[in-house]
Amino acid sequence: MKLEMSKTKRILALLAILFSNVCVMADLVITPVIGQIYGYYPENMNAVNYIVSGPMIVLVIASLATPLLFKRIDKKIVFMIGSAVFAIGAVFGAFNDNVYYVCVMRTLVGVGEGMVNVVGIAYISDLYESQKDRARINGFYSAAMSFAGMVFSYFGGILGQAGWLNTFKIYYVTAIPMLVLVILFVPSVKAGSGETVKNRDSGMKKEKLGWKFWEMSGCFFVMNIALGATVLYYISSYVMETGIGDSVTAGYSGTLKSLLGFLLGIAFGWIVGKLKRFTITLAYLLAGAGILIMVLAPSAVMLYVIGTIAGLTYKIAMPYNYSHGYEIVPASRMDDAVSITTAVYGFGSFLSTYCAGWLVSGMKAETYVKTWPVWAGVMLLLFVIDLFAIAKERKEG
């Protein structure tokens, strides 16, 4: 369903949707100071694990529930609720340093992240009808994610020098404006609108998503765990454990990754046009090889060059899974595909910190970096699995 509206209103709506990435990328604010958080609560490791990655499991629940709301509530109302919940959790997140208070606020952040990400992507399918336009706009959405990540990583590292609680101040000038833009510019989409809901209401048998979608989602799930346990969540650990810098170094690394990710998002439509189905396959290969190289030759150069390349594979995987998902599922399941992809991202990211800890314990490793070769092997295994999937797709014609 394409919304009928003027070009100006469509552009303003798109800008509001792109700006909502300050919610989607909110966790990058604390990425440069994760080490500080663990040191601040040495007796509450489980609570700290939740502070770091807990919003991701909440995001899973919220993202799966959000399409159900589309059937009963105007999409704009859903967007506003998600934005408001996020703003409350983010802005008031560090008003008290009680570990359980912070956990509650981080829970609200997770609810907002899940709702906003799903409804934002769903709006793209409402605003743009053709597959080509959707892929291009999903690339812009990914670019906006990178830009938000760049700002958050940079200022997170700078503000973190005065203590990790100080990093939450950046939400004052991002979360509230996001809510205002959603209220002012996002168009109304009445409950029950859209092809997915119409098919459900008409009593049609729900169509299957298909093995291609589940193979893509399964690999994306594992990818989120592997990247979260290495170059995404634990880049500050890499910096400290190898002795190549401090929180500012980690912040600069995240900023560089986000800057190049922004350019990558702008070019995403062109990249997919050239690589097509091999886009994600190449991403698995680059991630696995990059993580392994970083371990074998740790240095600032490796952090900024190879670490950036490995981290950028996530910037390819996210828009690819949304865009390709549109193409390989029935039209009646598009909202479900967006919801599941978001849930897969959230659940994988949530498990990443726990899996990283379990692997450290299981290997009796002294540092997180010593477990990275295992995660590199996991990414290379995904590369092989996806090659087999491509072969099967071609065999089926």
Side-chain angles (χ1 to χ4, degrees), residues 244-260:
I244 61 175
D246 53 18
S247 67
V248 176
T249 305
Y252 287 159
S253 172
T255 302
L256 176 62
K257 190 185 305 158
S258 297
L259 175 61
L260 295 180

Side-chain angles (χ1 to χ4, degrees), residues 61-122:
I61 299 171
S63 62
L64 291 175
T66 299
L68 300 178
L69 296 177
F70 296 163
K71 185 177 179 180
R72 299 170 176 82
I73 307 174
D74 189 308
K75 270 186 185 176
K76 179 171 182 173
I77 300 299
V78 177
F79 212 158
M80 290 167 56
I81 292 172
S83 300
V85 171
F86 167 77
I88 293 171
V91 171
F92 295 99
F95 271 40
N96 190 317
D97 67 352
N98 179 279
V99 68
Y100 300 109
Y101 170 85
V102 178
C103 285
V104 171
M105 292 297 102
R106 293 287 287 162
T107 299
L108 295 181
V109 167
V111 172
E113 287 178 334
M115 294 180 68
V116 169
N117 196 34
V118 170
V119 74
I121 295 293

Side-chain angles (χ1 to χ4, degrees), residues 218-235 284 287-288 291 310 313-314 345 347-353 355-356 359 368 371-382:
C219 289
F220 187 47
F221 172 70
V222 176
M223 184 184 197
N224 274 283
I225 294 177
L227 293 184
T230 53
V231 291
L232 295 184
Y233 285 157
Y234 287 88
I235 199 66
Y284 296 146
I291 293 170
T313 58
Y314 166 77
Y345 151 70
F347 193 43
S349 299
F350 167 75
L351 286 179
S352 63
T353 56
C355 290
L359 189 57
Y368 285 102
T371 67
W372 284 27
V374 175
W375 297 117
V378 168
M379 290 306 307
L380 293 175
L381 178 61
L382 293 184

